[in-house]
Amino acid sequence: MSPTSATSTLTDLYPTRGAAEVSAPRQDPVLWGAPDTPGPFTADDLMAYQRDGFRALDRLLDDDEVTLYRAELERLVADPSVRADERSIVEPKSKEIRSVFEVHRISEVFGRLVRDERIVGRARQLLGSDVYVHQSRINVKPGFGAGGFYWHSDFETWHAEDGLPNMRTVSVSIALTENLDTNGGLMIMPGSHRTFLGCAGATPEDNYRKSLQMQDAGTPSDGALTSLADEHGIRLFTGGAGSATWFDCNCMHGSGDNITPYPRSNVFIVFNSVQNQAVEPFAAPVRRPEFVGARDFTPVR
Ligand code: 6CS
Ligand code: FE
């Protein structure tokens, strides 16, 4: 296996995927912009985000917009050329489409969503700079058995495999269908973003081919998850179509399977600060493809 290509010039603040699991305090701010930074988030929103690592909004999109984006999701999922594309990940059992990546580039409709000031304006407020899209995806999570996403920190993967140096990255998950308390909604441990959990076990070659279906490398131990859950609790996010959850890149989060008849579809956009551009992976033999970890750092305008 080729040697892990760690960067020679940048210090690795968050060692992970070594022989043993290591828990350490976060070394980066949560809120990179000042709490009185003008923008769509109120000062209360920003303080709550800093404390919890997330901020939920009841209504980010109105009903007409939800109809537009849901129709676009359904169009992409029904398009054979999209299914054949490497950006599409299927459910291991049903072979139904689980996710489609880089939707902000393959779809003009989702491209417009990314540039919407209600979205990118909030990302700039939280990250205190211009931002670019590190990753976007639609998660279809159809009913009748769609798989969940086991507990993980996104930053652990984006640091190890995509080479993001610091925790200056934020995700927004926008519900395009009702997120019920039964159909596999997002769960976050409030406050877990202040602890970095370096996971045990080296990253296999081409890890993304498997990890986007079922993550293995970068999975926390039962013991670590138990102490984080005991300390922080677990919050399940429910909300109508059009609601959204903004969450810090290092929140410990996951979601359960969806065995109901009701799909839990969302669009998921990851904004990274232009001051935190991806370098070489910190703990992986090779980079992941650009549709999963962008290498175009052009700020969203
Ligand atoms: O590996 C990734 O980049 C993706 N995996 C998960 C489970 N969440 C973040 C991201 O979409
Ligand atoms: Fe995730």
Side-chain angles (χ1 to χ4, degrees):
M1 185 174 89
S2 58
T4 300
S5 57
T7 49
S8 52
T9 50
L10 275 183
T11 316
D12 183 353
L13 293 176
Y14 300 105
T16 187
R17 308 217 181 159
E21 184 176 64
V22 182
S23 171
R26 178 188 187 115
Q27 301 175 63
D28 287 304
V30 176
L31 204 52
W32 290 78
D36 58 357
T37 310
F41 274 131
T42 65
D44 284 353
D45 289 328
L46 296 176
M47 298 320 287
Y49 177 88
Q50 182 165 33
R51 181 191 64 227
D52 302 328
F54 58 76
R55 187 62 171 174
L57 301 174
D58 283 342
R59 293 291 289 158
L60 183 59
L61 302 180
D62 66 30
D63 292 345
D64 291 346
E65 291 170 317
V66 168
T67 305
L68 169 74
Y69 292 114
R70 250 187 92 169
E72 181 66 359
L73 177 146
E74 278 149 21
R75 183 188 71 79
L76 290 169
V77 168
D79 181 342
S81 66
V82 170
R83 166 180 277 278
D85 191 297
E86 61 172 346
R87 292 174 183 81
S88 291
I89 307 294
V90 295
E91 290 289 343
K93 288 197 208 97
S94 66
K95 304 301 176 210
E96 280 192 85
I97 289 195
R98 173 180 173 84
S99 307
V100 179
F101 281 86
E102 217 174 33
V103 288
H104 70 290
R105 293 178 78 124
I106 63 176
S107 155
E108 175 47 38
V109 172
F110 284 116
R112 278 202 302 276
L113 180 65
V114 158
R115 294 193 297 275
D116 184 313
E117 266 309 306
R118 294 168 296 171
I119 314 265
V120 68
R122 286 186 162 89
R124 290 195 198 106
Q125 258 186 301
L126 296 172
L127 303 181
S129 71
D130 267 333
V131 296
Y132 72 93
V133 177
H134 172 66
Q135 181 184 110
S136 71
R137 65 194 281 184
I138 49 176
N139 286 323
V140 185
K141 204 176 258 200
F144 306 112
F149 295 88
Y150 193 69
W151 292 107
H152 63 282
S153 152
D154 291 338
F155 177 77
E156 192 280 337
T157 292
W158 297 338
H159 180 70
E161 300 191 57
D162 299 341
L164 301 194
N166 292 81
M167 297 178 180
R168 194 169 182 177
T169 320
V170 63
S171 300
V172 59
S173 173
I174 305 173
L176 297 180
T177 60
E178 181 99 36
N179 279 218
L180 306 162
D181 50 7
T182 52
N183 64 344
L186 173 66
M187 295 181 284
I188 298 178
M189 297 185 190
S192 60
H193 62 303
R194 288 193 293 271
T195 301
F196 179 71
L197 195 63
C199 297
T203 310
E205 289 264 354
D206 271 358
N207 183 47
Y208 75 95
R209 291 188 192 284
K210 202 169 57 67
S211 70
L212 298 178
Q213 272 187 333
M214 181 73 67
Q215 188 165 351
D216 187 6
T219 299
S221 69
D222 295 358
L225 288 170
T226 305
S227 47
L228 280 171
D230 286 350
E231 183 182 354
H232 299 291
I234 297 174
R235 159 92 184 263
L236 170 68
F237 290 83
T238 57
S243 64
T245 305
W246 288 84
F247 59 107
D248 175 82
C249 57
N250 189 44
C251 289
M252 189 57 71
H253 69 290
S255 62
D257 293 354
N258 178 13
I259 59 171
T260 72
Y262 313 114
R264 195 228 59 178
S265 303
N266 66 3
V267 54
F268 174 88
I269 306 163
V270 182
F271 291 100
N272 189 34
S273 168
V274 292
Q275 311 294 329
N276 190 40
Q277 295 179 5
V279 294
E280 287 311 308
F282 284 87
V286 289
R287 294 179 175 185
R288 298 200 294 175
E290 296 201 25
F291 70 80
V292 185
R295 293 281 159 174
D296 172 357
F297 307 132
T298 311
V300 174
R301 285 277 175 264

